[in-house]
Amino acid sequence: MIQTIALGKLVPSKRNVRRRSDAAADAQLRADIEARGLLQNLIVTANKKPRGTYAVEAGGRRHSALKALADEGKLPTDFAVPCLVLDDLGSAVAEASLAENFQKLALNPADECLAFQHFIEQGSDVEGVARRFGVTVRFVEGRLRLASLAPMVFQALADGEITLDIAKAYASTPDRERQAHVFDQMSRGYGGAHPDSIRRMMTQATVSGADPRARLVGEDAYLAAGGRIDRDLFADDSTTRWLDIAILERLATEKMEATAAAVAAETGYAWVRPTLDRYVDWQQTEGLQRVDLAPPSLTESEQDQIATLEADAADKMALIEDENSSDDERAVAETELESIEKAIETLTEKPPVLPEELRPTVGAFLVLGPDGTPRLHQTLYVEPAQAPEAVTESEAGDEGPASPTRAVGLSQRLTDELAIQRRDILAVHVAADPDFALDLAIFLMIDRKPGHGVERYGSSLSARAPQEPVIGFKTPEAAATLARIEAEQALDRSWTMLETASARFDAFRALGADERAAWLGHAVASTLEASVLGAGASGCDFHDHLGQLLGIDVAAWWRPTAANFFDKVTKPVMFDALAEIDGPALAARYGNAKKSDLAAACEKICAGDFIGEVGTKHLARGWLPTAMRFTPAQAAEAAPESTPALDGTSMSHADAGDGEDNAVDREAA
């Protein structure tokens, strides 16, 4: 039976099936009870202890809301609560609790929309409705936005044909005609509609306020030109949608064209073409020839400055790694090291040099950065020389018919179609002559250089040098560097001095087979990127494979020294190297050494300049940091029996320096 019980005599029941709740929903319920009172009774059972109290079996959220209101002084502690009192029947009570919670039907979102709209039409405002129902203003605005959906979309929400999330996706823009159009398209599909798919379809005719074009133009200029902006109430970041793309595109194009004209006047380029894209695609560069420019060489003064800065950087790094340095000293050194690195970058990272005589003939593209800032693309282009205009027979006069290379009134489309067909004929013949194709490939890879002007080669083949990961890093005394310089100096350059590409190609083909092959090796080798053994951005498994195939003995070409390795690593790394060579005992021998002394000792040990066993010296002279190896194990263990030497003879790994090693071992003994 229903009876009223004082709020202070009600306690939560441990048998209530609801274990979790929602803070926002609880706040809404509390506000609703405060506004309209308790509209539904609680279900309780009498407690044996303490006598006179009742356990709330169903309606725990309402009970908690009443207690909270009483604690806030909005209800008296003896507030009479209507309750249905049940006999304590164990499982029957739990079943009643479950039934009450399980059988509750949440209000349809469409009904919520109509209810909120009704109160607004009755003169209430959004804030008042939100306070009355214990919800946020944004929640009420969202439901009112849904009430303005196209009729067929709103009816689908009311009938349960679409979910609330899908309805929100349709409401991302207020255009009811577009809502109806997208709803009709989605209704014809076989797959289930997804909110993200619908939202994209709804906004594909709009632009986000974060779009680079919008950032370039600015909201004020866009609105002044008559543009409209819609703000999505369901987006957490309050993303805006710009509805009039035609106005935005016009304003953005005008601004980019004005900027391009100013940049062209400032740079002296023949042309600067604006684009609203972030990149320059192949369609924009079709018919243009790229201009390859070399970076400027460093002056002797700049080289001296870099050397001084690098020495300072090494000192700062040593201070940072020194265990005796204080935290303050390390912090100051890190700040100074950052400044030194920026100074080195300023000296080394310079744009390519454009000869002044080429400036009036080249052009560039002005692209739009992601932040809405126009940026001049670094790549320069030149337009091929235009063919002379067609001449009539009378103009040709006694000189005979017009040259077959001159235009004869062909359209550009037809000219391009003929060009493709002519290219295919040439390609068939090149493919049929492998020797000719090899000569052409070598020539195209090595002849593209700034000194040869802007001739068109009619091929995309090239051998560009990769960008080094460390700008300005030189190893003038390294064995591999000296060998590369020697090999490059031995190349036959007699053909490179000729004026035209045609003349240079003919002269190149006249070289001997060995001379042309040397150029091939030089061209391919010049394209190799810097890599180390291991994963990450600097790792390259294919380089590891190539090193194994060539049987490269890195230790015969490179030895770790204090300057090129040990000064640049921490003491634990050096101790690990010594332990790898001769176990913990060798590392323990230098346990108290300073970092600089330890680095010098490691250099001598890796050079074999120490007293020790023959086997230990052999390991020391072959030790390499993992990054320099071409295989996880020592390269010499996995390499073939012999490696080609520079002069073409065969040299075994065991013979590469055995005489010196044996002499040192005998001297040590």
Side-chain angles (χ1 to χ4, degrees):
M1 58 179 294
I2 299 292
Q3 65 184 72
T4 58
I5 301 174
L7 177 60
K9 294 183 179 182
L10 299 177
V11 295
S13 171
K14 296 181 179 179
R15 291 179 293 192
N16 194 312
V17 296
R18 186 186 294 276
R19 295 291 184 264
R20 298 174 180 82
S21 188
D22 181 271
D26 291 343
Q28 180 179 348
L29 176 62
R30 188 163 57 250
D32 185 80
I33 293 176
E34 181 184 1
R36 284 182 294 276
L38 185 65
L39 302 180
Q40 184 179 0
N41 63 271
L42 309 183
I43 298 177
V44 300
T45 58
N47 286 328
K48 294 180 179 179
K49 292 182 180 180
R51 295 182 63 84
T53 62
Y54 295 83
V56 179
E57 306 293 348
R61 291 179 60 242
R62 279 164 278 155
H63 177 228
S64 297
L66 291 170
K67 288 181 61 179
L69 291 172
D71 292 340
E72 296 172 2
K74 297 177 180 179
L75 287 178
T77 56
D78 59 350
F79 176 77
V81 181
C83 300
L84 173 62
V85 182
L86 298 179
D87 293 333
D88 188 355
L89 300 178
S91 60
V93 173
E95 181 178 343
S97 174
L98 175 62
E100 191 200 60
N101 285 283
F102 193 77
Q103 298 301 332
K104 283 185 177 180
L105 179 64
L107 194 65
N108 186 287
D111 295 334
E112 294 176 350
C113 298
L114 295 177
F116 288 156
Q117 190 176 48
H118 168 75
F119 286 112
I120 295 296
E121 292 174 351
Q122 293 298 319
S124 181
D125 57 10
V126 174
E127 289 79 4
V129 173
R131 284 194 303 270
R132 186 167 185 176
F133 290 95
V135 295
T136 64
V137 172
R138 188 182 182 87
F139 181 86
V140 176
E141 290 177 339
R143 289 299 188 265
L144 294 175
R145 179 74 166 266
L146 293 178
S148 300
L149 283 169
M152 68 285 297
V153 181
F154 187 83
Q155 188 61 45
L157 174 64
D159 295 340
E161 296 176 1
I162 61 175
T163 65
L164 177 61
D165 288 338
I166 291 179
K168 289 180 178 180
Y170 280 111
S172 58
T173 60
D175 188 344
R176 301 179 73 177
E177 292 184 3
R178 183 155 190 83
Q179 292 171 3
H181 174 71
V182 173
F183 181 78
D184 181 65
Q185 285 187 318
M186 299 303 294
S187 300
R188 297 179 183 180
Y190 293 101
H194 190 277
D196 290 342
S197 301
I198 295 173
R199 189 171 286 106
R200 278 194 296 270
M201 294 182 68
M202 289 299 304
T203 60
Q204 66 183 4
T206 65
V207 167
S208 167
D211 188 279
R213 293 168 294 178
R215 293 182 175 182
L216 171 69
V217 172
E219 186 172 310
D220 293 341
Y222 172 75
L223 294 175
R228 296 169 299 160
I229 291 181
D230 177 51
R231 306 185 189 277
D232 185 356
L233 293 174
F234 302 108
D236 294 336
D237 57 355
S238 300
T239 301
T240 59
R241 305 302 306 182
W242 295 32
L243 307 180
D244 299 293
I245 296 183
I247 295 177
L248 176 62
E249 288 274 345
R250 174 176 59 81
L251 296 176
T253 301
E254 291 174 354
K255 196 163 186 177
M256 287 292 288
E257 288 177 347
T259 305
V263 172
E266 179 183 352
T267 59
Y269 292 162
W271 48 266
V272 174
R273 298 177 184 173
T275 174
L276 294 178
D277 296 325
R278 292 178 57 182
Y279 307 99
V280 180
D281 58 29
W282 66 270
Q283 293 176 326
Q284 293 169 314
T285 60
E286 189 174 11
L288 300 177
Q289 182 178 345
R290 178 171 176 163
V291 179
D292 295 324
L293 299 173
S297 57
L298 297 175
T299 64
E300 293 184 4
S301 175
E302 290 173 334
Q303 293 177 2
D304 293 340
Q305 293 180 52
I306 292 175
T308 302
L309 291 170
E310 288 177 342
D312 292 343
D315 294 339
K316 303 303 178 187
M317 183 62 69
L319 180 62
I320 293 172
E321 296 176 351
D322 191 345
E323 298 174 354
N324 297 323
S325 300
S326 65
D327 292 340
D328 292 340
E329 290 174 333
R330 289 194 180 94
V332 173
E334 289 175 353
T335 302
E336 294 176 346
L337 181 61
E338 184 177 351
S339 300
I340 292 173
E341 291 175 347
K342 290 182 179 179
I344 294 176
E345 290 179 359
T346 301
L347 292 171
T348 56
E349 296 185 1
K350 296 181 179 180
V353 176
L354 175 65
E356 287 300 321
E357 62 272 15
L358 293 181
R359 186 175 295 274
T361 66
V362 301
F365 286 89
L366 188 72
V367 298
L368 184 59
D371 59 350
T373 303
R375 299 174 182 175
L376 189 65
H377 201 273
Q378 293 184 352
T379 305
L380 301 179
Y381 299 88
V382 64
E383 293 180 337
Q386 299 296 326
E389 295 182 358
V391 296
T392 62
E393 291 186 8
S394 59
E395 291 173 332
D398 297 336
E399 296 180 2
S403 169
T405 61
R406 294 186 177 183
V408 290
L410 303 182
S411 67
Q412 185 61 48
R413 171 66 184 234
L414 177 57
T415 301
D416 293 340
E417 291 176 352
L418 295 177
I420 294 174
Q421 298 172 79
R422 180 174 178 269
R423 186 275 318 277
D424 290 345
I425 296 172
L426 176 61
V428 168
H429 287 76
V430 171
D433 191 339
D435 292 337
F436 181 89
L438 180 60
D439 289 343
L440 179 60
I442 301 172
F443 177 79
L444 290 173
M445 287 192 292
I446 61 180
D447 194 57
R448 297 176 186 265
K449 59 179 67 174
H452 289 162
V454 292
E455 287 183 274
R456 183 180 180 186
Y457 292 86
S459 171
S460 60
L461 182 63
S462 65
R464 299 181 182 277
Q467 177 67 49
E468 299 289 18
V470 180
I471 304 299
F473 178 69
K474 303 293 183 182
T475 54
E477 303 300 327
T481 301
L482 295 174
R484 288 192 66 184
I485 294 174
E486 181 182 349
E488 186 173 350
Q489 291 175 344
L491 295 171
D492 188 339
R493 300 178 179 274
S494 58
W495 57 275
T496 62
M497 299 297 106
L498 300 178
E499 292 294 330
T500 65
S502 300
R504 291 194 299 275
F505 180 56
D506 293 342
F508 174 78
R509 295 200 70 207
L511 298 178
D514 292 340
E515 286 76 11
R516 300 198 306 278
W519 275 106
L520 173 61
H522 168 72
V524 175
S526 298
T527 67
L528 295 177
E529 299 175 350
S531 70
V532 296
L533 178 67
S538 300
C540 180
D541 293 340
F542 187 58
H543 277 193
D544 303 339
H545 181 64
L546 297 180
Q548 296 176 53
L549 292 178
L550 294 171
I552 297 176
D553 182 6
V554 178
W557 290 90
W558 183 88
R559 299 305 303 133
T561 65
N564 69 14
F565 184 72
F566 292 115
D567 280 343
K568 303 177 181 181
V569 298
T570 61
K571 291 176 67 175
V573 173
M574 289 186 273
F575 288 137
D576 290 343
L578 296 178
E580 189 174 344
I581 292 173
D582 196 28
L586 181 59
R589 188 185 306 174
Y590 299 93
N592 297 325
K594 293 183 178 180
K595 186 174 185 296
S596 58
D597 296 336
L598 179 59
C602 289
E603 176 179 344
K604 289 185 177 182
I605 291 173
C606 289
D609 186 12
F610 70 103
I611 298 176
E613 298 292 336
V614 174
T616 302
K617 287 194 171 191
H618 178 74
L619 290 174
R621 282 190 287 266
W623 183 87
L624 295 167
T626 302
M628 286 295 292
R629 304 173 186 176
F630 279 106
T631 58
Q634 290 288 357
E637 298 176 3
E641 291 297 325
S642 61
T643 302
L646 288 180
D647 58 0
T649 61
S650 178
M651 176 180 66
S652 69
H653 296 293
D655 294 338
D658 265 357
E660 179 185 351
D661 292 350
N662 292 336
V664 174
D665 292 341
R666 286 193 299 271
E667 182 179 350

